[in-house]
Amino acid sequence: MKKVLFASTALVAFSGAAVADVALSGRAEMGIFDSDAVAGVQFFTDIDVTFTMSGETDNGLTFGASVDLDEGGSGAAAVADNTDDGGATIFISGSFGTVTMGDTDGALDWALTEAGNVGNPGSINDDETSHAGYVGSYLDGANDGQILRWDYSFGDFGVAVSVEDDNGGAGIDGIANTADDDGDIGYAIGLRYNLDLGGTTVALGIGHQEAASATGGPTASATGISASANFAGGFSAGIVYADWDDDDDTVNGPDSNYGIGVGYTTGAFTVHANYGEVEFDDGTDVDGFGVAAAYDLGGGAVVHFGYRDDDVIDSFSLGLGLSF
């Protein structure tokens, strides 16, 4: 869990304005990692700093923004490109739901529970969610990576709709827009439902996503469904499946994928494992599995271990994650 390093309250001068809060949080990671892609065991270091801002209007609307400096330095912050999120997310929320723009999930990814998110304590190098059979973001980022999503929850139900602009970049067909070509809009829709089974809550999700084409050429789509649950005794499990389609017969794209994840927590110790497989249009497939384990030392310090295995790369990492 991240702790607030610094918080300040900005009192706006004009009458009736709401209070705005700015918080700074961070995470540092250090350890070792090794894989078939590097020459021997290597040191691993990473620092991530996030600014989070929030406020409220006179009529009760809440709003906020966050920027991840680990990512923001290579996007909008570096080149002053306001059409790219650059690691930033902005939202406004009210009785109409929540509208979020920037570096956020599309509606399909929002609705589904990934196999790697089931009871996963994480690892410093994300080994357990990097294997060849793992799918985590579907068609998010197929265009410019900046997403606009509306979501709304009522009781146990939730619904979301999102769009992703082509923005003159290369669409799913790999062809860039010209200056006078508006391109297409990618879109997605997702539904969530939490089912109470005698004290065990099962989270169900379903959704569909279409990627945009820059010039009206070939497009791609994905339709997925997932189910996950937390059980007594610290156990959790989940499964996800997606069916893919594309209109370009010259590209050997995904035809379907599935993933299974399990987790277990006892005291300060958490362990997770997931397996996934992706089948392609030509009938070939790739698969792999990942394992993560963590021991919470308290105070924001956690020992992490991660492992990946597939037909391409085996890898592991071991180190400390420090949340501030």
Side-chain angles (χ1 to χ4, degrees), residues 267-288:
F269 180 72
T270 300
V271 64
H272 160 87
N274 73 78
Y275 173 84
E277 179 176 295
V278 181
E279 183 173 342
F280 292 89
D281 293 334
D282 64 358
T284 62
D285 61 68
V286 295
D287 65 351

mmCIF file of all heavy atoms in Angstrom, residues 267-288:
data_model
loop_
_atom_site.group_PDB
_atom_site.id
_atom_site.type_symbol
_atom_site.label_atom_id
_atom_site.label_comp_id
_atom_site.label_asym_id
_atom_site.label_seq_id
_atom_site.Cartn_x
_atom_site.Cartn_y
_atom_site.Cartn_z
ATOM 1 N N GLY A 267 -1.293 -14.644 6.764
ATOM 2 C CA GLY A 267 -0.446 -13.731 7.505
ATOM 3 C C GLY A 267 0.229 -12.730 6.586
ATOM 4 O O GLY A 267 -0.419 -12.083 5.758
ATOM 5 N N ALA A 268 1.546 -12.632 6.668
ATOM 6 C CA ALA A 268 2.308 -11.682 5.853
ATOM 7 C C ALA A 268 2.737 -12.260 4.517
ATOM 8 O O ALA A 268 3.347 -11.561 3.702
ATOM 9 C CB ALA A 268 3.553 -11.222 6.618
ATOM 10 N N PHE A 269 2.410 -13.532 4.253
ATOM 11 C CA PHE A 269 2.888 -14.217 3.048
ATOM 12 C C PHE A 269 1.765 -14.345 2.026
ATOM 13 O O PHE A 269 0.646 -14.747 2.350
ATOM 14 C CB PHE A 269 3.403 -15.609 3.415
ATOM 15 C CG PHE A 269 3.916 -16.387 2.245
ATOM 16 C CD1 PHE A 269 5.119 -16.052 1.636
ATOM 17 C CD2 PHE A 269 3.191 -17.455 1.740
ATOM 18 C CE1 PHE A 269 5.591 -16.771 0.550
ATOM 19 C CE2 PHE A 269 3.657 -18.182 0.659
ATOM 20 C CZ PHE A 269 4.864 -17.840 0.062
ATOM 21 N N THR A 270 2.073 -14.007 0.761
ATOM 22 C CA THR A 270 1.127 -14.148 -0.342
ATOM 23 C C THR A 270 1.828 -14.815 -1.516
ATOM 24 O O THR A 270 2.969 -14.468 -1.847
ATOM 25 C CB THR A 270 0.581 -12.781 -0.797
ATOM 26 O OG1 THR A 270 -0.080 -12.140 0.281
ATOM 27 C CG2 THR A 270 -0.400 -12.945 -1.952
ATOM 28 N N VAL A 271 1.128 -15.766 -2.145
ATOM 29 C CA VAL A 271 1.669 -16.434 -3.322
ATOM 30 C C VAL A 271 0.606 -16.444 -4.418
ATOM 31 O O VAL A 271 -0.608 -16.509 -4.132
ATOM 32 C CB VAL A 271 2.134 -17.867 -2.986
ATOM 33 C CG1 VAL A 271 0.949 -18.729 -2.547
ATOM 34 C CG2 VAL A 271 2.857 -18.493 -4.170
ATOM 35 N N HIS A 272 1.046 -16.348 -5.673
ATOM 36 C CA HIS A 272 0.143 -16.290 -6.824
ATOM 37 C C HIS A 272 0.744 -17.096 -7.966
ATOM 38 O O HIS A 272 1.973 -17.156 -8.124
ATOM 39 C CB HIS A 272 -0.051 -14.837 -7.269
ATOM 40 C CG HIS A 272 -0.540 -14.694 -8.682
ATOM 41 N ND1 HIS A 272 -1.880 -14.717 -9.009
ATOM 42 C CD2 HIS A 272 0.138 -14.545 -9.854
ATOM 43 C CE1 HIS A 272 -2.003 -14.579 -10.321
ATOM 44 N NE2 HIS A 272 -0.805 -14.468 -10.856
ATOM 45 N N ALA A 273 -0.140 -17.677 -8.785
ATOM 46 C CA ALA A 273 0.300 -18.357 -10.005
ATOM 47 C C ALA A 273 -0.753 -18.151 -11.076
ATOM 48 O O ALA A 273 -1.955 -18.076 -10.780
ATOM 49 C CB ALA A 273 0.522 -19.849 -9.760
ATOM 50 N N ASN A 274 -0.310 -18.033 -12.333
ATOM 51 C CA ASN A 274 -1.252 -17.956 -13.439
ATOM 52 C C ASN A 274 -0.703 -18.684 -14.651
ATOM 53 O O ASN A 274 0.514 -18.800 -14.837
ATOM 54 C CB ASN A 274 -1.590 -16.502 -13.774
ATOM 55 C CG ASN A 274 -0.463 -15.769 -14.471
ATOM 56 O OD1 ASN A 274 -0.220 -15.934 -15.668
ATOM 57 N ND2 ASN A 274 0.267 -14.942 -13.709
ATOM 58 N N TYR A 275 -1.630 -19.168 -15.466
ATOM 59 C CA TYR A 275 -1.293 -19.851 -16.713
ATOM 60 C C TYR A 275 -2.136 -19.248 -17.829
ATOM 61 O O TYR A 275 -3.316 -18.927 -17.612
ATOM 62 C CB TYR A 275 -1.569 -21.356 -16.615
ATOM 63 C CG TYR A 275 -1.407 -22.081 -17.933
ATOM 64 C CD1 TYR A 275 -0.159 -22.503 -18.365
ATOM 65 C CD2 TYR A 275 -2.513 -22.320 -18.753
ATOM 66 C CE1 TYR A 275 -0.010 -23.153 -19.590
ATOM 67 C CE2 TYR A 275 -2.377 -22.969 -19.964
ATOM 68 C CZ TYR A 275 -1.126 -23.391 -20.386
ATOM 69 O OH TYR A 275 -0.988 -24.021 -21.597
ATOM 70 N N GLY A 276 -1.554 -19.087 -19.011
ATOM 71 C CA GLY A 276 -2.301 -18.537 -20.128
ATOM 72 C C GLY A 276 -1.876 -19.134 -21.452
ATOM 73 O O GLY A 276 -0.752 -19.646 -21.588
ATOM 74 N N GLU A 277 -2.779 -19.048 -22.415
ATOM 75 C CA GLU A 277 -2.503 -19.548 -23.763
ATOM 76 C C GLU A 277 -3.149 -18.626 -24.785
ATOM 77 O O GLU A 277 -4.270 -18.154 -24.588
ATOM 78 C CB GLU A 277 -3.030 -20.973 -23.935
ATOM 79 C CG GLU A 277 -2.792 -21.556 -25.321
ATOM 80 C CD GLU A 277 -3.252 -23.009 -25.426
ATOM 81 O OE1 GLU A 277 -2.653 -23.854 -24.731
ATOM 82 O OE2 GLU A 277 -4.199 -23.275 -26.178
ATOM 83 N N VAL A 278 -2.427 -18.340 -25.864
ATOM 84 C CA VAL A 278 -2.941 -17.544 -26.978
ATOM 85 C C VAL A 278 -2.896 -18.394 -28.235
ATOM 86 O O VAL A 278 -1.836 -18.934 -28.584
ATOM 87 C CB VAL A 278 -2.110 -16.263 -27.192
ATOM 88 C CG1 VAL A 278 -2.687 -15.448 -28.349
ATOM 89 C CG2 VAL A 278 -2.067 -15.421 -25.918
ATOM 90 N N GLU A 279 -4.041 -18.531 -28.914
ATOM 91 C CA GLU A 279 -4.102 -19.253 -30.177
ATOM 92 C C GLU A 279 -4.209 -18.245 -31.311
ATOM 93 O O GLU A 279 -4.959 -17.270 -31.222
ATOM 94 C CB GLU A 279 -5.296 -20.195 -30.208
ATOM 95 C CG GLU A 279 -5.360 -21.035 -31.480
ATOM 96 C CD GLU A 279 -6.446 -22.095 -31.446
ATOM 97 O OE1 GLU A 279 -6.923 -22.415 -30.335
ATOM 98 O OE2 GLU A 279 -6.811 -22.595 -32.521
ATOM 99 N N PHE A 280 -3.458 -18.483 -32.399
ATOM 100 C CA PHE A 280 -3.405 -17.556 -33.516
ATOM 101 C C PHE A 280 -4.236 -18.066 -34.697
ATOM 102 O O PHE A 280 -4.672 -19.220 -34.729
ATOM 103 C CB PHE A 280 -1.955 -17.330 -33.936
ATOM 104 C CG PHE A 280 -1.160 -16.584 -32.906
ATOM 105 C CD1 PHE A 280 -0.483 -17.274 -31.900
ATOM 106 C CD2 PHE A 280 -1.103 -15.204 -32.910
ATOM 107 C CE1 PHE A 280 0.246 -16.594 -30.937
ATOM 108 C CE2 PHE A 280 -0.387 -14.512 -31.944
ATOM 109 C CZ PHE A 280 0.285 -15.213 -30.957
ATOM 110 N N ASP A 281 -4.434 -17.162 -35.675
ATOM 111 C CA ASP A 281 -5.293 -17.472 -36.812
ATOM 112 C C ASP A 281 -4.828 -18.697 -37.585
ATOM 113 O O ASP A 281 -5.648 -19.417 -38.172
ATOM 114 C CB ASP A 281 -5.356 -16.272 -37.767
ATOM 115 C CG ASP A 281 -6.069 -15.080 -37.145
ATOM 116 O OD1 ASP A 281 -6.910 -15.303 -36.256
ATOM 117 O OD2 ASP A 281 -5.792 -13.943 -37.544
ATOM 118 N N ASP A 282 -3.509 -18.954 -37.634
ATOM 119 C CA ASP A 282 -2.999 -20.080 -38.415
ATOM 120 C C ASP A 282 -3.033 -21.394 -37.652
ATOM 121 O O ASP A 282 -2.534 -22.417 -38.128
ATOM 122 C CB ASP A 282 -1.576 -19.787 -38.896
ATOM 123 C CG ASP A 282 -0.584 -19.658 -37.741
ATOM 124 O OD1 ASP A 282 -1.009 -19.762 -36.571
ATOM 125 O OD2 ASP A 282 0.619 -19.465 -38.018
ATOM 126 N N GLY A 283 -3.633 -21.393 -36.453
ATOM 127 C CA GLY A 283 -3.761 -22.620 -35.674
ATOM 128 C C GLY A 283 -2.636 -22.863 -34.692
ATOM 129 O O GLY A 283 -2.730 -23.772 -33.862
ATOM 130 N N THR A 284 -1.564 -22.097 -34.761
ATOM 131 C CA THR A 284 -0.484 -22.231 -33.787
ATOM 132 C C THR A 284 -0.881 -21.565 -32.471
ATOM 133 O O THR A 284 -1.815 -20.757 -32.422
ATOM 134 C CB THR A 284 0.812 -21.599 -34.300
ATOM 135 O OG1 THR A 284 0.610 -20.192 -34.515
ATOM 136 C CG2 THR A 284 1.238 -22.254 -35.604
ATOM 137 N N ASP A 285 -0.175 -21.897 -31.417
ATOM 138 C CA ASP A 285 -0.466 -21.272 -30.129
ATOM 139 C C ASP A 285 0.813 -21.121 -29.320
ATOM 140 O O ASP A 285 1.817 -21.799 -29.577
ATOM 141 C CB ASP A 285 -1.508 -22.079 -29.350
ATOM 142 C CG ASP A 285 -1.055 -23.496 -29.048
ATOM 143 O OD1 ASP A 285 -0.111 -23.657 -28.241
ATOM 144 O OD2 ASP A 285 -1.623 -24.442 -29.625
ATOM 145 N N VAL A 286 0.767 -20.217 -28.357
ATOM 146 C CA VAL A 286 1.855 -20.036 -27.390
ATOM 147 C C VAL A 286 1.233 -20.054 -26.008
ATOM 148 O O VAL A 286 0.084 -19.646 -25.822
ATOM 149 C CB VAL A 286 2.617 -18.715 -27.621
ATOM 150 C CG1 VAL A 286 3.337 -18.728 -28.955
ATOM 151 C CG2 VAL A 286 1.695 -17.512 -27.515
ATOM 152 N N ASP A 287 1.991 -20.550 -25.041
ATOM 153 C CA ASP A 287 1.488 -20.572 -23.679
ATOM 154 C C ASP A 287 2.632 -20.277 -22.711
ATOM 155 O O ASP A 287 3.802 -20.192 -23.093
ATOM 156 C CB ASP A 287 0.812 -21.894 -23.347
ATOM 157 C CG ASP A 287 1.781 -23.071 -23.363
ATOM 158 O OD1 ASP A 287 2.943 -22.907 -23.802
ATOM 159 O OD2 ASP A 287 1.403 -24.166 -22.918
ATOM 160 N N GLY A 288 2.286 -20.106 -21.449
ATOM 161 C CA GLY A 288 3.289 -19.848 -20.432
ATOM 162 C C GLY A 288 2.637 -19.719 -19.074
ATOM 163 O O GLY A 288 1.414 -19.648 -18.950
#
